[in-house]
Amino acid sequence: MEELLFPGLHCPFPLKVNRHVDVLQEFGIEWVVRFNLLANESTYKRFCKSNFFLLAASAYPDSDIEEIKIANDWLSWVFLWDDQCDLSDLGKKPDILKLHNQRYLEILNGAAVTSEDTALVLALSNLRERILAKTSVTWFHHFITSFQEWLEACTEEAAIRAKGIVPDVDTYIMTRKSSIGVDAFLTLTEFCHNLTIPDFIRKHEIILKLQFLTGHIIACCNDIFSVSREMLSGDVHNLVLVLHYQQQIPINQAIYRVVEMHNNAIQTMMDLEASLPTFGEEVDAELAKYISGMHAWIRSNHDWYSQTSRYQSIERLELTQNYEVLNS
């Protein structure tokens, strides 16, 4: 049965949870503590309440233990870097972001760590070593490419914030699809589920559209649940707020518009899947698992946002109402 995880927000894909979920949290906390990624007690408590392990466990439900541990640590790294950008105002400093991004890419491409490297760099080097011990260099290059696209999109967002402008809707959607990081997360689906996706499938028009829709759906969900956080921080990089400013409509109406865009994308995705041609028995089997990975990410993302305290606030409705009064 189709479930409603936010008023009107549809997600028809079933939830599956990795069998290793019960041990994943402990492993994840041990890793971030070992690499000194949690600066203080407050950061530690915030990390524990975020429950990233639940996101990983349902995004990669069929993964073996070592692969799911890597995916979980990768998600922790991404969110901790995102927090560091927000807390240090790096999200408005594209030139400084480029320097960090350059170092991250150097590390993933095999550069040795130095005494001047940050804790995040050391942790990233550890992830590289663990991934390469489990997979091919060819796949890892695909992963680095998707990681680089994510970093570049985050820098583009920072440049827009630095200018103090509200992007137009189309520009925002295209940038957000990359800055949400879904292409890298879907590449990890191949790693976690031991898939072999031929290059011609990666470049197929329908597959590219499905990847775009997956990112768009997840971004819409993210922006609906995190809009109160963006309003508090004064960040307009949220589709709800972009619609609010660009189309001069109330926040609640903008939320309903994003819900509608999300639901339309879900239906478009299902229609596209029904139109896929056959590529032969072996390729079709791998592709079916890959598309199931897209479904898993969409469902995992919906459920995680419903459960995590990272974006939840009892003042959500109050904040929205006050924001509309102040901006009316």
Side-chain angles (χ1 to χ4, degrees):
M1 180 181 295
E2 187 175 79
E3 294 188 33
L4 303 180
L5 303 171
F6 189 91
L9 197 62
H10 295 272
C11 185
F13 308 125
L15 175 67
K16 292 177 62 180
V17 179
N18 192 283
R19 65 188 183 278
H20 302 296
V21 63
D22 290 338
V23 299
L24 198 56
Q25 182 179 29
E26 181 181 349
F27 282 122
I29 292 176
E30 185 277 331
W31 185 77
V32 296
V33 169
R34 174 156 52 96
F35 283 93
N36 198 29
L37 299 181
L38 305 177
N40 49 48
E41 184 68 18
S42 175
T43 307
Y44 177 85
K45 290 180 179 179
R46 174 177 168 78
F47 178 85
C48 292
K49 289 180 179 179
S50 294
N51 290 329
F52 298 127
F53 77 100
L54 292 177
L55 179 63
S58 48
Y60 305 110
D62 299 319
S63 177
D64 290 333
I65 183 63
E66 291 304 319
E67 285 79 0
I68 193 68
K69 285 165 61 178
I70 290 171
N72 184 49
D73 293 343
W74 174 255
L75 287 175
S76 297
W77 190 97
V78 167
F79 281 108
L80 287 169
W81 171 234
D82 181 65
D83 281 347
Q84 185 167 312
C85 289
D86 290 343
L87 294 174
S88 65
D89 209 29
L90 278 173
K92 296 179 182 179
K93 298 178 179 179
D95 291 338
I96 297 178
L97 271 183
K98 287 180 182 179
L99 295 176
H100 285 283
N101 295 345
Q102 180 181 349
R103 186 56 181 157
Y104 295 150
L105 290 171
E106 288 173 353
I107 290 296
L108 286 181
N109 280 299
V113 298
T114 71
S115 59
E116 297 180 357
D117 280 322
T118 65
L120 280 167
V121 171
L122 297 177
L124 190 63
S125 179
N126 172 262
L127 284 172
R128 177 184 184 274
E129 292 175 4
R130 291 160 63 197
I131 290 173
L132 284 175
K134 303 290 293 184
T135 191
S136 69
V137 173
T138 299
W139 175 88
F140 192 58
H141 285 156
H142 287 302
F143 179 73
I144 293 176
T145 298
S146 62
F147 179 75
Q148 182 173 355
E149 289 173 355
W150 170 64
L151 292 176
E152 290 173 351
C154 292
T155 303
E156 289 176 18
E157 286 190 350
I160 292 173
R161 291 191 191 96
K163 294 176 182 177
I165 61 175
V166 179
D168 63 78
V169 175
D170 290 340
T171 297
Y172 176 81
I173 289 175
M174 292 303 297
T175 303
R176 184 61 168 151
K177 179 263 178 186
S178 297
S179 69
I180 202 73
V182 168
D183 285 351
F185 297 147
L186 290 179
T187 306
L188 274 178
T189 295
E190 300 175 46
F191 170 76
C192 286
H193 294 162
N194 195 28
L195 303 181
T196 302
I197 306 297
D199 284 343
F200 79 91
I201 291 293
R202 294 179 190 278
K203 300 173 183 178
H204 193 280
E205 181 181 6
I206 294 180
I207 303 305
L208 293 174
K209 288 180 179 178
L210 290 175
Q211 290 172 341
F212 173 83
L213 287 166
T214 300
H216 179 51
I217 291 163
I218 289 174
C220 285
C221 178
N222 175 294
D223 288 359
I224 289 167
F225 278 96
S226 68
V227 64
S228 59
R229 176 180 173 175
E230 267 86 53
M231 287 190 291
L232 278 172
S233 66
D235 184 5
V236 299
H237 235 82
N238 180 297
L239 186 52
V240 173
L241 299 179
V242 169
L243 290 170
H244 166 68
Y245 283 111
Q246 294 286 13
Q247 300 183 9
Q248 298 185 351
I249 58 177
I251 290 293
N252 283 334
Q253 185 178 345
I255 290 174
Y256 292 136
R257 291 266 182 95
V258 178
V259 168
E260 183 179 14
M261 293 168 74
H262 171 282
N263 294 345
N264 287 341
I266 288 279
Q267 186 59 55
T268 300
M269 186 175 186
M270 295 173 70
D271 291 342
L272 277 173
E273 290 173 25
S275 71
L276 270 171
T278 182
F279 301 100
E281 185 176 347
E282 291 187 7
V283 174
D284 286 352
E286 294 292 278
L287 182 54
K289 294 176 184 177
Y290 183 59
I291 292 175
S292 291
M294 297 182 189
H295 297 172
W297 249 108
I298 291 170
R299 181 55 192 255
S300 177
N301 186 70
H302 280 69
D303 283 30
W304 180 69
Y305 274 110
S306 300
Q307 298 166 8
T308 183
S309 64
R310 180 178 171 85
Y311 301 97
Q312 297 301 313
S313 170
I314 59 174
E315 296 88 8
R316 179 196 300 275
L317 181 58
E318 234 174 42
L319 177 62
T320 303
Q321 292 171 338
N322 290 341
Y323 186 85
E324 289 185 344
V325 169
L326 291 172
N327 289 273
S328 61

